[in-house]
Amino acid sequence: MAQPRVALWAAEADDMDDDLQDMSLGNYGQNGHYDDTFFQQPQIDEATLMAMQQHMAQQAAFAQIPDVVKGFIVHFHQAVLENNLPEITIAYESGWNKYTEKFYSRTEWPEAEIIAPLVNDDPIFLILYRELYYRHVYSRLQPNIDDRFHSYENSCELFNYLLNSEGPVKLELPEQWLWDIIDEFIYQFQVFCTWRSKVKSKTDDELLMLAEGGPVWSSYSVLNVLYSLIQKSKINEYIAAHQAGKTPEEIAEIVGEYGVRPLYRHLGYFSIIGLLRVHVLLGDFTLALKVMENVELNQKSPYTRVTACTVATYYYVGFCYIMLRRYPDAIRTFVSILNWIMRMRQYHTRSYQYDQISKTADRMYALFAICNALSPSRLDDNIANISKERYGEQFAKMAKGQEDAIPAFKELFLYACPKFINANAPPYDDPVALNTLLQSSPDTSSPDFDSSALSDPAQRHLSLLLSDVVAYTPVPTLRSFLKLYTSLGAKKLANFLDADEEEMVQQLMVMKQASRSVTHVPGGKGLLDGQTASTSDLNFVIDENMVHIAESTVGRRYAGWFIKNTERTQKLYDDLKNQPLPPPSKSAGHGANGAGAPVAPVQTDVKPVRTGQPKVAWGGVKVGA
């Protein structure tokens, strides 16, 4: 019997299985470990690795942003794109502060690079966002050196966009935001100069960055920005044309394509106020008032809608008058703005800048007390009384004019004066000079250390004021004696003063000089214009050995007294009128119900009502005769 035929695939099955096993296994796990020497590993440079890590960090930070904040940023960006001023104003004044208090009161807002996807990487909005971001860092947190440098770079980008674009930019922002941009720009400059002047507190990295920083926050760059905005907007020409009564068409032809746009016109005006502030910080008070030559100080200006700008203007103008020894003009300036603040107080409480306005007003009350001590005046008794309430002890010491007055003047001046700055930076780019400066600096921790020994600009301006104060020290005592007489012998007056006649004559001359000052005249052009006039109600002449005194008594301002008391009475009347009526008495309620309840007998021994008594509109029981 023939044997069955074996299929070819069956006959070679064992050999094929061995071959397949060898093919499937190959050399894996049998001929040693995997050799990677023949393959080149992919190289990732440090910059790419850092970019990847930064991208991952940004994604993580973006995920932590609350959804309401994301929605607010998208809405804010859309309002800026559409130049929708009402929506921009609400987002800027309300929304930003609302979410700051809720989420970022003690931390930074998300950086611009993190929120960039929400605004489609819009460069203009990101510049504006960084302006708000760094303002928040300066006001709520402690900026480091990177924040100080980057805030300057962002400000340069913003002003380059506004000044160097081809034609006027198509951007509209609220007046309040435009003022805050200029105000914050100068504030950051002031803070940087103060921080830069403290050499001993710097680390090695900070010293290196300051040495290589170049013109970062230099006085020249800040002044250049402000003057460029004034020239580009032609704001001085606009103010002059408006005061001359030109038509809108004529004004548009004068100021050109930039000046007709509200953005540039407002920035130009706010830059004038910014220059006033910068020149005061640098100590040039004459140039500060010269810049304001075309600006009129009155509450009818359209720019008074920005309250913080108006208050700052009057504060710095008044301080300039103090340093120029024009105390009556300073008093008039402070009285005007302080009365205006009191009238507008109900509106200030709704402003997010209420605290700043209140602090500035408090400093002006202190400056008013200084001026009133050096040049007594009864321009406004109400402001004087408020100043006495706040600074009663210092007010009394300064009025007496004795040795105790010097510390009082010093205390109020250092509290109320601006934060002056040094225009020149320490020599960070010269290590030898910097080491010499560090070695020559006194030890501030020593108990014998006197801050006036340093080149502190505030101390320099204080010494100028105190030189006048020391000279005017005998004036209050001499004035009190002269007010008692119409004529007085020179020898008798010298005995009162415990001085010889020659010294007494010198004191009289000091008093005469103190009673004369340059005063602004109505209708004069510019804040620097004025005429020398007597500012005291007490005058005297020396005739041989007699001193003849003439006092011009200023009558009481009855109109102001009646207006003040009329307003007070009107307020009392409104408060009484708004009070609810008293509930009806129980006895009256029972009688009205008619339930048969006994009614208390009416007393007949009622005292007769006097004629002339005020009638009560409610709350009383009318008794018949």
Side-chain angles (χ1 to χ4, degrees):
M1 185 174 179
Q3 292 187 0
R5 186 177 176 180
V6 180
L8 180 62
W9 58 270
E12 298 178 354
D14 295 338
D15 297 335
M16 291 179 63
D17 290 341
D18 294 338
D19 294 339
L20 290 173
Q21 184 177 5
D22 294 338
M23 292 174 62
S24 62
L25 291 176
N27 293 326
Y28 297 107
Q30 298 182 14
N31 296 330
H33 296 286
Y34 174 72
D35 189 4
D36 58 356
T37 58
F38 300 101
F39 300 95
Q40 184 176 2
Q41 296 293 331
Q43 299 294 328
I44 302 179
D45 58 354
E46 186 177 356
T48 304
L49 183 61
M50 291 182 62
M52 294 173 60
Q53 293 176 350
Q54 184 178 5
H55 180 68
M56 295 175 62
Q58 289 180 358
Q59 287 182 336
F62 182 83
Q64 295 178 356
I65 301 177
D67 292 337
V68 290
V69 176
K70 294 179 182 177
F72 164 73
I73 293 175
V74 172
H75 174 74
F76 200 176
H77 174 239
Q78 189 63 29
V80 172
L81 283 180
E82 299 174 354
N83 285 333
N84 190 339
L85 280 180
E87 292 296 329
I88 296 175
T89 304
I90 293 174
Y92 173 72
E93 297 186 359
S94 178
W96 179 269
N97 295 302
K98 173 184 175 182
Y99 294 121
T100 296
E101 295 294 338
K102 189 174 183 180
F103 299 106
Y104 304 106
S105 60
R106 296 184 180 181
T107 185
E108 300 173 348
W109 272 75
E111 294 184 357
E113 292 75 16
I114 297 176
I115 61 100
L118 295 174
V119 298
N120 299 323
D121 293 327
D122 185 353
I124 306 306
F125 182 82
L126 291 178
I127 291 175
L128 297 174
Y129 178 84
R130 289 191 189 97
E131 193 273 330
L132 296 174
Y133 171 86
Y134 288 116
R135 191 194 309 175
H136 170 70
V137 171
Y138 275 85
S139 62
R140 298 294 187 96
L141 310 173
Q142 184 64 34
N144 56 34
I145 189 170
D146 292 329
D147 294 328
R148 301 179 193 275
F149 277 63
H150 292 162
S151 64
Y152 174 77
E153 295 171 358
N154 186 72
S155 298
C156 291
E157 291 183 6
L158 175 60
F159 292 123
N160 285 334
Y161 167 69
L162 296 174
L163 294 171
N164 299 328
S165 299
E166 296 181 359
V169 299
K170 296 180 180 179
L171 179 66
E172 298 293 337
L173 295 177
E175 299 174 2
Q176 183 65 59
W177 194 351
L178 296 176
W179 161 251
D180 290 339
I181 288 174
I182 299 296
D183 181 65
E184 185 68 18
F185 177 63
I186 300 173
Y187 170 74
Q188 293 178 9
F189 162 66
Q190 171 190 340
V191 172
F192 182 86
C193 291
T194 304
W195 173 81
R196 181 182 59 188
S197 62
K198 300 176 181 179
V199 183
K200 283 191 171 183
S201 61
K202 301 293 178 292
T203 62
D204 294 338
D205 293 338
E206 291 175 342
L207 292 174
L208 180 61
M209 293 184 66
L210 287 171
E212 299 175 353
V216 173
W217 289 120
S218 64
S219 301
Y220 173 79
S221 60
V222 173
L223 293 173
N224 183 44
V225 167
L226 299 177
Y227 276 111
S228 298
L229 288 172
I230 293 175
Q231 293 175 359
K232 181 72 72 173
S233 64
K234 294 186 177 180
I235 185 61
N236 286 317
E237 291 82 353
Y238 173 84
I239 295 176
H242 190 270
Q243 293 174 351
K246 302 287 185 180
T247 62
E249 293 77 12
E250 294 174 335
I251 294 177
E253 185 178 356
I254 292 173
V255 299
E257 60 178 348
Y258 286 91
V260 296
R261 296 189 65 86
L263 175 75
Y264 288 93
R265 185 167 64 247
H266 292 142
L267 283 175
Y269 180 83
F270 296 146
S271 296
I272 294 178
I273 310 303
L275 277 178
L276 165 70
R277 177 180 176 183
V278 171
H279 288 310
V280 170
L281 296 179
L282 295 175
D284 195 340
F285 307 106
T286 302
L287 184 57
L289 293 182
K290 183 68 176 178
V291 170
M292 298 281 294
E293 184 176 7
N294 295 318
V295 178
E296 293 183 352
L297 290 184
N298 57 65
Q299 282 83 40
K300 296 180 181 179
S301 171
Y303 299 101
T304 55
R305 289 176 294 186
V306 184
T307 307
C309 175
T310 304
V311 174
T313 303
Y314 277 81
Y315 168 75
Y316 286 105
V317 169
F319 189 83
C320 287
Y321 280 139
I322 291 178
M323 299 310 296
L324 295 176
R325 297 178 177 84
R326 296 174 59 169
Y327 305 116
D329 287 341
I331 291 175
R332 189 189 70 252
T333 303
F334 292 140
V335 166
S336 177
I337 189 60
L338 290 174
N339 280 323
W340 183 76
I341 291 175
M342 285 193 296
R343 290 196 303 267
M344 304 294 290
R345 183 179 300 170
Q346 56 180 339
Y347 304 104
H348 299 158
T349 55
R350 297 198 297 264
S351 173
Y352 67 96
Q353 293 186 330
Y354 175 74
D355 293 337
Q356 178 184 354
I357 295 172
S358 300
K359 291 179 182 177
T360 306
D362 195 56
R363 293 161 69 186
M364 285 192 285
Y365 278 113
L367 294 176
F368 173 85
I370 293 176
C371 296
N372 194 74
L374 295 175
S375 179
S377 172
R378 291 192 60 182
L379 185 61
D380 192 294
D381 293 337
N382 190 26
I383 300 298
N385 291 333
I386 296 176
S387 180
K388 290 179 182 178
E389 291 175 0
R390 299 190 180 190
Y391 308 103
E393 182 180 355
Q394 296 91 338
F395 204 100
K397 291 180 179 179
M398 292 186 298
K400 292 180 180 179
Q402 299 176 357
E403 295 182 357
D404 295 340
I406 304 298
F409 275 103
K410 183 177 181 180
E411 178 184 357
L412 289 186
F413 181 85
L414 293 178
Y415 164 72
C417 72
K419 303 299 184 273
F420 297 104
I421 59 177
N422 284 315
N424 298 322
Y428 288 107
D429 55 347
D430 188 350
V432 177
L434 188 63
N435 290 331
T436 304
L437 178 64
L438 289 174
Q439 294 174 2
S440 63
S441 299
D443 184 12
T444 57
S445 61
S446 174
D448 299 331
F449 171 72
D450 183 9
S451 60
S452 61
L454 298 176
S455 58
D456 185 5
Q459 295 292 337
R460 293 199 300 268
H461 295 298
L462 174 63
S463 63
L464 294 176
L465 177 71
L466 292 182
S467 63
D468 272 1
V469 172
V470 173
Y472 296 164
T473 299
V475 171
T477 304
L478 181 60
R479 178 185 173 87
S480 63
F481 284 122
L482 294 181
K483 288 177 69 70
L484 301 175
Y485 299 89
T486 57
S487 60
L488 183 64
K491 186 175 181 180
K492 185 176 182 180
L493 179 59
N495 292 333
F496 286 155
L497 299 174
D498 294 332
D500 54 21
E501 294 188 15
E502 183 177 355
E503 186 178 354
M504 180 268 298
V505 172
Q506 292 178 358
Q507 294 183 14
L508 287 174
M509 293 299 100
V510 170
M511 181 177 177
K512 177 69 74 173
Q513 176 64 26
S515 63
R516 298 183 63 82
S517 174
V518 177
T519 307
H520 183 76
V521 293
K525 184 180 180 181
L527 300 177
L528 280 174
D529 292 343
Q531 297 178 356
T532 303
S534 177
T535 60
S536 175
D537 57 352
L538 190 67
N539 197 7
F540 63 89
V541 294
I542 302 176
D543 184 13
E544 294 183 355
N545 293 328
M546 294 294 295
V547 180
H548 302 280
I549 303 101
E551 182 179 4
S552 57
T553 305
V554 180
R556 187 168 186 176
R557 298 175 179 269
Y558 293 102
W561 186 87
F562 277 109
I563 291 174
K564 180 176 66 176
N565 285 277
T566 301
E567 292 176 349
R568 184 179 302 172
T569 305
Q570 182 68 33
K571 184 178 182 302
L572 292 174
Y573 173 74
D574 292 339
D575 292 343
L576 290 174
K577 190 176 180 179
N578 293 330
Q579 290 181 358
L581 292 173
S585 61
K586 295 183 179 180
S587 59
H590 292 161
N593 294 334
V599 180
V602 179
Q603 296 181 1
T604 57
D605 55 344
V606 180
K607 295 183 180 179
V609 181
R610 297 189 218 168
T611 60
Q613 291 291 330
K615 297 182 179 180
V616 181
W618 57 82
V621 179
K622 191 173 181 179
V623 181

